Amino acid sequence: MVKLLLVGLIVGCWLILGTQANEYLDFNVTEIDRIEELEFGLSKYSSNLNPLLVGLTLIRGADSGAVCLDGTLPGYHLHRGHGSGANSWLIQLEGGGWCNNVRTCAAQLQFRGERIWRAAIDDLKANGMRYADQALLSGCSAGGLAAILRCDEFRDLFPGSTKVKCLSDAGLFLDTADVSGGRTIRNLYNGIVEFQSVKNNLPRICTNHLDPTSCFFPENLISQMKTPLFIVNAAYDTWQIQSSIAPKSADPSGFWHDCRLNHEKCTSGQMRFLQSFRDQMLRVVKGFSMSRQNGLFINSCFAHCQTERQDTWFADDSPVISKKAVAIAVGDWYFDRAEVKLVDCPYPCDKSCHNMVFR
């Protein structure tokens, strides 16, 4: 299978909506580095692995307007398949974060994600993707949200004979209240939509009856999509705990400080709050999971992005639900071997988790 990582697009392809990203809300640099270290595979679990290094392909023929935040050329990493996998394509959109105002975005930056998406797709089609027999659009974190937002459009790039599906890992960002009763993540998303003029690039199946900010939340999209989608998400997503549920801005007294970094330090009251977040997530996917074409893997772990790390994707001690690891679950779903709707029991019942702990 061809594995294509749009890492080279850096901030230009995390959302692919005319939006771009450069920092995590309410995180300092040390915390961001630690999250990236764990999120992108540089954890204690994978320190002995020899990573595959794939060169960067710049899109030199791109329209002059298709540039990254700093005005440089976009690009991607392409690792070609061979044999039976020569015409199978995996498009992976990596995560990152968002900026939503002048302070977090800085000045003289270009917001050209929409143009980058089109330029990248055109380049990939010219490089053989138009002949694909199978295609999977996937993404992690902000890239997981992008995979949802772009899924049906991606399906339309191929003839009906091509098997096309989508996978979102840690992209199920919920429209939820924070610990102060405020709407931190809704305010963030509203800023993105307004500041970066995202409205026209959002799926019309949503914007034809809801406001643009609501259409940035997957819960208002996933049940209306026509393309098969698989959702992988931790019920206690660490990014959402730290940036949406209990960010510093909503916790000026620091009551949630220890809990937001280490779940084992949460009080019983705090755990009840986090359990209510899990309950909300399960309500959001209830209708979605009723469709046979969709798949689900919601485990009760404190994690974020489990498909990009070998230890959580497919290893001897990978997290499992009903003895099935994420990779096996996704494979069974994609190749139509079985209907996959896996939902874990509430914390702390799952002992297979690779829980993330921050210092």
Side-chain angles (χ1 to χ4, degrees), residues 66-126:
V67 293
C68 293
L69 275 176
D70 60 356
T72 58
L73 289 175
Y76 53 82
H77 296 272
L78 173 60
H79 180 52
R80 289 192 176 276
H82 60 275
S84 62
N87 289 322
S88 296
W89 287 72
L90 166 62
I91 310 298
Q92 169 72 9
L93 308 178
E94 290 219 335
W98 303 275
C99 60
N100 64 327
N101 53 45
V102 173
R103 181 184 64 81
T104 58
C105 294
Q108 299 181 337
L109 296 181
Q110 312 293 322
F111 301 115
R112 306 292 175 82
E114 173 71 23
R115 299 187 191 187
I116 293 173
W117 164 261
R118 293 177 182 175
I121 290 299
D122 288 345
D123 206 59
L124 293 172
K125 289 171 70 176

Side-chain angles (χ1 to χ4, degrees), residues 1 90-94 135-151 154 164-172 225 227-233 288 294-297 306-308 313 326-327 329-331 333-334:
M1 177 174 280
L90 166 62
I91 310 298
Q92 169 72 9
L93 308 178
E94 290 219 335
L136 175 65
L137 176 65
S138 67
C140 149
S141 192
L145 173 56
I148 292 173
L149 293 169
R150 289 292 186 183
C151 184
F154 184 71
V164 180
K165 297 187 178 185
C166 303
L167 166 65
S168 173
D169 176 14
L172 191 61
M225 292 167 56
T227 308
L229 172 67
F230 194 101
I231 291 176
V232 177
N233 226 96
F288 164 85
N294 296 327
L296 201 61
F297 190 100
Q306 300 178 86
T307 63
E308 289 194 344
W313 168 247
V326 179
V330 172
W333 163 78
Y334 185 86

Side-chain angles (χ1 to χ4, degrees), residues 46-332:
S46 56
S47 59
N48 295 324
L49 297 178
N50 294 317
L52 173 67
L53 301 179
V54 180
L56 173 65
T57 299
L58 293 176
I59 309 175
R60 299 188 182 278
D63 176 84
S64 59
V67 293
C68 293
L69 275 176
D70 60 356
T72 58
L73 289 175
Y76 53 82
H77 296 272
L78 173 60
H79 180 52
R80 289 192 176 276
H82 60 275
S84 62
N87 289 322
S88 296
W89 287 72
L90 166 62
I91 310 298
Q92 169 72 9
L93 308 178
E94 290 219 335
W98 303 275
C99 60
N100 64 327
N101 53 45
V102 173
R103 181 184 64 81
T104 58
C105 294
Q108 299 181 337
L109 296 181
Q110 312 293 322
F111 301 115
R112 306 292 175 82
E114 173 71 23
R115 299 187 191 187
I116 293 173
W117 164 261
R118 293 177 182 175
I121 290 299
D122 288 345
D123 206 59
L124 293 172
K125 289 171 70 176
N127 276 289
M129 192 175 73
R130 66 182 181 274
Y131 303 119
D133 297 322
Q134 302 179 127
L136 175 65
L137 176 65
S138 67
C140 149
S141 192
L145 173 56
I148 292 173
L149 293 169
R150 289 292 186 183
C151 184
D152 283 344
E153 179 184 347
F154 184 71
R155 161 70 269 184
D156 291 340
L157 296 173
F158 302 92
S161 58
T162 304
K163 173 183 284 226
V164 180
K165 297 187 178 185
C166 303
L167 166 65
S168 173
D169 176 14
L172 191 61
F173 298 98
L174 301 186
D175 187 2
T176 191
D178 59 41
V179 295
S180 71
R183 313 295 296 195
T184 295
I185 193 166
R186 172 163 276 272
N187 291 337
L188 169 66
Y189 278 8
N190 185 66
I192 295 168
V193 169
E194 295 293 331
F195 187 70
Q196 301 187 27
S197 302
V198 172
K199 179 181 178 180
N200 292 335
N201 297 323
L202 291 168
R204 292 181 181 176
I205 57 171
C206 182
T207 57
N208 63 11
H209 66 282
L210 289 177
D211 63 274
T213 299
S214 294
C215 295
F216 215 66
F217 287 99
E219 62 199 72
N220 297 317
L221 296 164
I222 55 177
S223 294
Q224 304 175 63
M225 292 167 56
K226 63 181 182 181
T227 308
L229 172 67
F230 194 101
I231 291 176
V232 177
N233 226 96
Y236 312 97
D237 185 286
T238 53
W239 191 94
Q240 295 193 65
I241 290 173
Q242 296 191 9
S243 298
S244 171
I245 300 173
K248 295 176 183 177
S249 59
D251 180 40
S253 67
F255 177 70
W256 278 82
H257 177 268
D258 291 345
C259 177
R260 70 191 290 268
L261 299 181
N262 184 348
H263 62 282
E264 293 184 349
K265 296 183 178 180
C266 295
T267 66
S268 58
Q270 289 170 331
M271 280 308 308
R272 284 194 296 271
F273 194 96
L274 297 181
Q275 296 291 13
S276 68
F277 176 77
R278 172 184 177 273
D279 292 342
Q280 180 182 351
M281 184 177 293
L282 297 187
R283 289 194 298 271
V284 163
V285 300
K286 184 177 181 180
F288 164 85
S289 66
M290 294 176 68
S291 172
R292 290 182 59 84
Q293 72 173 10
N294 296 327
L296 201 61
F297 190 100
I298 305 290
N299 57 353
S300 293
C301 302
F302 287 80
H304 186 71
C305 285
Q306 300 178 86
T307 63
E308 289 194 344
R309 291 167 43 190
Q310 189 64 34
D311 66 291
T312 50
W313 168 247
F314 188 58
D316 291 341
D317 65 341
S318 291
V320 295
I321 303 178
S322 300
K323 299 182 179 180
K324 187 172 290 191
V326 179
I328 300 299
V330 172
D332 284 348

